Amino acid sequence: MIELSTGTAIVTGGAGGIGAATALKLAEAGAHVVIADRANVGGETLAESLRKDGWAASYHLLDVTQESSWDELIEGIKALPPLRVLVNNAGIATWGNDVETETISGWDKMIAINQTGVWLGMRAVAAPMRAAGGGSIINLASVLATVGGYGEEIAYHASKGAVRSMTKSAAIHWATEGIRVNSVHPGYIATPMSLEGLDDWHESRILGNTPMGRMGTPEEVASVIAFLASAGSAYMTGSEIYVDGGYTAV
Ligand SMILES: NC(=O)c1ccc[n+]([C@@H]2O[C@H](COP(=O)([O-])OP(=O)(O)OC[C@H]3O[C@@H](n4cnc5c(N)ncnc54)[C@H](O)[C@@H]3O)[C@@H](O)[C@H]2O)c1
């Protein structure tokens, strides 16, 4: 059983968007939240404002693509309560770049952050979570892990499909050790990632293809992540949950 109130939760990419909403939800559940993000994206400011509101929070610099950065993070949080939760949320996206127009450099960057970063994160927390007697890892995938969307973003699809299947492999690996691994698949959520560069063509199709007829909010994804982090989901591992306003039901 995971007692959030006596543990630490890492949220990668926790400085903004879905990550920031998740940091607040996990802090409210009693965890010491570690906002792990790149430099100069507001992680320290967010941690400070959570602390001012009475929650336990800290910011740590992390580049999810670098093994040494993960090592430094794990070393840096040793004095905190036992590590019980990792939310592998950091990610990037682009509009466009289809199967013909994607470049090697664009592909490599996307795979490094969205895919390799998730694997490195799971690997880095294995020892501290085992020492803590178990934990919950939540990997942010996407509806685009399983459907073709608009025939674009080939590298994003590849990376999120990999997150979906890596989640299941890791879940089976740790199934008897109390470390649970699940993936969350948002549809289109109103964050900097989806709003920056959104043109009328995409917006009208996204809203038209989402039965609820609107984008989701970061909080609507964060509450599902918090459920997967909690003891309420104790019998769930290797599962994928869609938070998409019905996008994949059509
Ligand atoms: N917004 C959506 O519509 C949507 C839909 C499906 C899936 N997702 C997924 O949800 C997750 C969060 O997305 P968001 O919309 O909140 O995005 P966002 O752009 O608002 O936030 C992403 C965060 O990741 C951080 N980040 C990027 N590269 C990093 C790196 N190398 N190391 C550490 N941190 C890094 C950024 O600094 C940022 O704080 C992503 O994995 C994304 O793919 C989002």
Side-chain angles (χ1 to χ4, degrees), residues 99-114:
V99 60
E100 295 186 68
T101 58
E102 184 58 277
T103 61
I104 289 285
S105 64
W107 174 274
D108 286 348
K109 185 177 177 196
M110 184 82 72
I111 298 298
I113 296 173
N114 290 12

Side-chain angles (χ1 to χ4, degrees), residues 12-20 36-41 61-66 69-70 88-93 95 109 112-114 117-118 139-144 156 159-160 184-196 215-216 218 221 225 243:
T12 72
I18 294 168
D37 211 314
R38 298 176 299 183
N40 305 321
V41 289
L61 183 67
L62 174 72
D63 178 349
V64 294
T65 68
Q66 300 301 315
S69 189
W70 278 104
N88 268 319
N89 164 80
I92 57 166
W95 294 104
K109 185 177 177 196
I113 296 173
N114 290 12
V118 168
N139 294 328
L140 268 289
S142 166
V143 290
L144 302 184
Y156 189 81
S159 67
K160 294 300 184 178
V184 169
H185 298 244
Y188 288 86
I189 310 299
T191 70
M193 175 180 282
S194 52
L195 296 177
E196 274 165 24
M215 283 190 164
V221 181
I225 295 171
V243 188

Side-chain angles (χ1 to χ4, degrees), residues 106-131:
W107 174 274
D108 286 348
K109 185 177 177 196
M110 184 82 72
I111 298 298
I113 296 173
N114 290 12
Q115 179 176 333
T116 310
V118 168
W119 164 56
L120 289 177
M122 293 194 289
R123 197 180 66 171
V125 301
M129 274 193 184
R130 206 175 259 128

Side-chain angles (χ1 to χ4, degrees), residues 64-82:
V64 294
T65 68
Q66 300 301 315
E67 284 183 276
S68 57
S69 189
W70 278 104
D71 291 345
E72 282 160 25
L73 171 66
I74 298 301
E75 185 62 30
I77 63 169
K78 261 187 175 166
L80 296 180

Side-chain angles (χ1 to χ4, degrees), residues 147-207:
V147 299
Y150 303 101
E152 301 169 339
E153 293 198 81
I154 187 80
Y156 189 81
H157 282 266
S159 67
K160 294 300 184 178
V163 169
R164 175 175 179 262
S165 57
M166 284 195 297
T167 297
K168 294 179 196 306
S169 172
I172 292 167
H173 175 72
W174 285 315
T176 58
E177 295 191 75
I179 301 177
R180 302 185 294 108
V181 194
N182 295 287
S183 56
V184 169
H185 298 244
Y188 288 86
I189 310 299
T191 70
M193 175 180 282
S194 52
L195 296 177
E196 274 165 24
L198 178 65
D199 57 30
D200 292 346
W201 188 92
H202 284 93
E203 186 174 14
S204 67
R205 270 157 193 79
I206 287 165
L207 296 181

